[in-house]
Amino acid sequence: MYALVDCNNFYASCERLFRPDLQGRPIVVLSNNDGCVVARSAEAKRLGIKMAVPLFQVQEQIDRENIAVFSSNYALYGDISARVMTVLEQQAPAIEVYSIDEAFLDLNGLETNFPLVEYGLQLKQRVYQYTGIHVSVGIAPTKTLAKLANHAAKQYPATRGVVDLSDPLRQRRLLGLLPVQEVWGVGRRLSRRLNQQGVSSALALADCDAAWIRSHYSVTLERTVRELNGQPCMALEECPPPRQQILCSRSFARRITEYRDMRSAIAQYCSRAAEKLRQQGGLARVVTVFIRTNPHSQLETFYSHSASRMLSIPSADSRLLSATAHALLQSIWKPGFRYMKAGIMLSDLYPSGSFQPTLFDAPESPAAMRLMQAVDNINRSGRGQVRFASEMLSSGWQMQRNRLSPAYTTRWDQLPVVRA
Amino acid sequence: MPITLLGRYLPPSASVALPLFMNAVPAGFPSPAQDYIERTLDLNELCIQHPAATYFVRAEGDSMLGVGIFSGDILVVDRSLKAVDGDVVIACVNGEFTVKELRTRPALQLLAHNPAYAPILFGPDSTLELFGVVTTVIHSVRQRG
């Protein structure tokens, strides 16, 4: 038996956690660069604010309805997410953190001595008590059904946020109510194709012949069909496979025309990527840098280029990676363009210590690793930042985050204030 | 007041702090000091029982001087605790967080610890929303800021 626990309106709920004055007020959270709406509170959803709508299109409604607007505060969401996951870990034999606001719980063995709805309600209550975040819980014999159960728990208030789909009759009743595109793993394109073949509800998909689905679609969809019929095909992934590459890429707040600005941007992305690399205990052998102008502009010629280099031995040393990135940038930079986006990718990753150097390679020096560790520790401490000078050559191209809430839980100088 | 020394405090770091003995160890013969290695003390252990449920907030104002909460102090708030009569709590009052003592008897109210502030009373049909229970006050006596 599996449970899917999903935080309700997670980003908006995090923003409200330390702002009791926002109780009942609609909230939207914006994407990087404050471009469009990426999260909404229940109130904002009720007002009809759509997901991914550009900010300027709803600005008038935001003013009229007094909607609170925030830039994405990933430091805050990440911290609250870790707390939610910790509480869940304490409540289940095994969990898979599926995304920042969702986790699958393995409930095997629990059902025999515990009513599952009761368990779900207690779980929900505990997460709220500990963290201040409301969650919904869907319980079912497969992960795919647990996803749907969770969807139902959110949809129907009478469920009190917990749906137990262990009964096959209930499974079929719910499947009959849901369109096929609500099924986990069925994207828009796939659902269109299924619709054309007369498969429009989740139940219709469940009733398809598994072998026919495999030959006409894919093994993945066949697995989904089996899972909809209560046959578990997907196990809990307790430790997600380490990432195969690390990408750090962003659109600029304003176009970049100067080499100095671009160099600074690439240096910053490189530092961030290297930090991520070290966090997962990895070494990278290939560094890729790419830059591009706006592909949709009618007035300007489009320019996009990338370059890669393979290091002689994999490294997690920011200095080496950064120097490589700089050399790559020099090779693809062309003046006279207005660049919109740039990025860096670290790939061909190895777990630290697993790479066998040849006789002539200098192995990764422990001193360099210690230096990087020290830099990471300082940057994580919240007391200050250590940066490469190349990152500081210029700013201004940086992300726009004009409505960022404080780092309530990760900075001593930004703690929530209480009246005494 | 009598003061008891508990031990030496070392701030926690990402790497585990291990006591290091500087005396040379003759090969093949274990140091007799090995038996005495003890962990250093971690202040988190003392102040935080439920890390996932613990938030820090900063107090501003003088209504709780009587329990030793000064303006600027950092309060350790544990959300996992069920607030009971006599607890110092963080409550939401008029859209604002406030720190007060919770009283459930004889009637539900929030009590200040400064005669200049009146208690905040809650009628039978009004609800009191709590953010969490304050367990520890961090008050620096050296430099205020």
Side-chain angles (χ1 to χ4, degrees), chain A residues 184-222:
Chain A
W184 190 32
V186 178
R188 199 180 304 157
R189 189 142 21 110
L190 199 54
S191 68
R192 209 177 301 139
R193 217 176 120 198
L194 285 164
N195 284 337
Q196 279 164 1
Q197 298 194 279
V199 179
S200 56
S201 74
L203 186 61
L205 180 61
D207 286 340
C208 284
D209 178 50
W212 181 82
I213 287 284
R214 183 177 42 205
S215 59
H216 285 79
Y217 290 88
S218 65
V219 184
T220 323
L221 194 63
E222 182 205 358

Side-chain angles (χ1 to χ4, degrees), chain A residues 95-219:
Chain A
I95 95 164
E96 171 191 343
V97 176
Y98 182 66
S99 71
I100 193 167
D101 60 353
E102 287 172 283
F104 285 105
L105 275 54
D106 184 350
L107 305 186
N108 283 324
L110 228 59
E111 63 265 41
T112 48
N113 46 25
F114 218 83
L116 288 172
V117 172
E118 195 50 40
Y119 171 81
L121 287 168
Q122 277 183 24
L123 195 67
K124 192 174 149 60
Q125 154 63 21
R126 193 176 185 94
V127 173
Y128 178 71
Q129 162 102 41
Y130 273 52
T131 65
I133 296 294
H134 287 290
V135 297
S136 301
V137 183
I139 300 171
T142 69
K143 285 166 88 176
T144 308
L145 283 172
K147 266 269 191 191
L148 289 179
N150 190 287
H151 181 80
K154 282 214 168 71
Q155 198 99 326
Y156 307 110
T159 64
R160 290 184 295 163
V162 177
V163 167
D164 170 16
L165 266 193
S166 42
D167 173 14
L169 284 175
R170 283 196 83 194
Q171 290 169 14
R172 294 188 63 81
R173 204 162 354 121
L174 178 67
L175 289 177
L177 293 172
L178 295 172
V180 71
Q181 61 261 32
E182 292 297 343
V183 176
W184 190 32
V186 178
R188 199 180 304 157
R189 189 142 21 110
L190 199 54
S191 68
R192 209 177 301 139
R193 217 176 120 198
L194 285 164
N195 284 337
Q196 279 164 1
Q197 298 194 279
V199 179
S200 56
S201 74
L203 186 61
L205 180 61
D207 286 340
C208 284
D209 178 50
W212 181 82
I213 287 284
R214 183 177 42 205
S215 59
H216 285 79
Y217 290 88
S218 65
V219 184

Side-chain angles (χ1 to χ4, degrees), chain B residues 99-118:
Chain B
V99 52
K100 294 288 178 290
E101 183 187 323
L102 176 73
R103 280 295 172 84
T104 55
R105 295 183 295 257
L108 187 63
Q109 56 183 305
L110 293 173
L111 220 57
H113 275 254
N114 180 339
Y117 292 80

Side-chain angles (χ1 to χ4, degrees), chain B residues 18-86:
Chain B
L18 291 176
L20 180 68
F21 292 89
M22 294 307 285
N23 46 339
V25 180
F29 184 73
S31 158
Q34 256 178 6
D35 292 343
Y36 300 101
I37 294 177
E38 282 203 65
R39 286 185 317 130
T40 52
L41 294 177
D42 180 354
L43 207 46
N44 288 310
E45 239 169 74
L46 192 67
C47 303
I48 300 175
Q49 270 76 50
H50 308 97
T54 298
Y55 292 98
F56 300 131
V57 301
R58 192 176 295 279
E60 263 174 26
D62 57 2
S63 71
M64 294 297 278
L65 294 178
V67 292
I69 296 176
F70 295 84
S71 201
D73 285 357
I74 290 173
L75 311 181
V76 180
V77 184
D78 189 339
R79 280 190 60 106
S80 71
L81 302 175
K82 199 151 175 44
V84 295
D85 184 72

Side-chain angles (χ1 to χ4, degrees), chain A residues 254-301:
Chain A
R254 56 173 176 78
R255 302 280 186 263
I256 280 186
T257 51
E258 299 298 321
Y259 180 75
R260 193 186 161 75
D261 292 343
M262 185 63 93
R263 187 179 168 195
S264 174
I266 289 291
Q268 269 193 29
Y269 296 167
C270 187
S271 288
R272 211 166 299 144
E275 210 176 305
K276 275 192 215 167
L277 178 68
R278 291 191 293 269
Q279 246 168 44
Q280 70 173 50
L283 304 170
R285 194 166 190 196
V286 174
V287 182
T288 306
V289 169
F290 62 89
I291 54 176
R292 65 172 171 81
T293 62
N294 183 358
H296 306 296
S297 169
Q298 311 281 314
L299 304 167
E300 301 167 48
T301 359

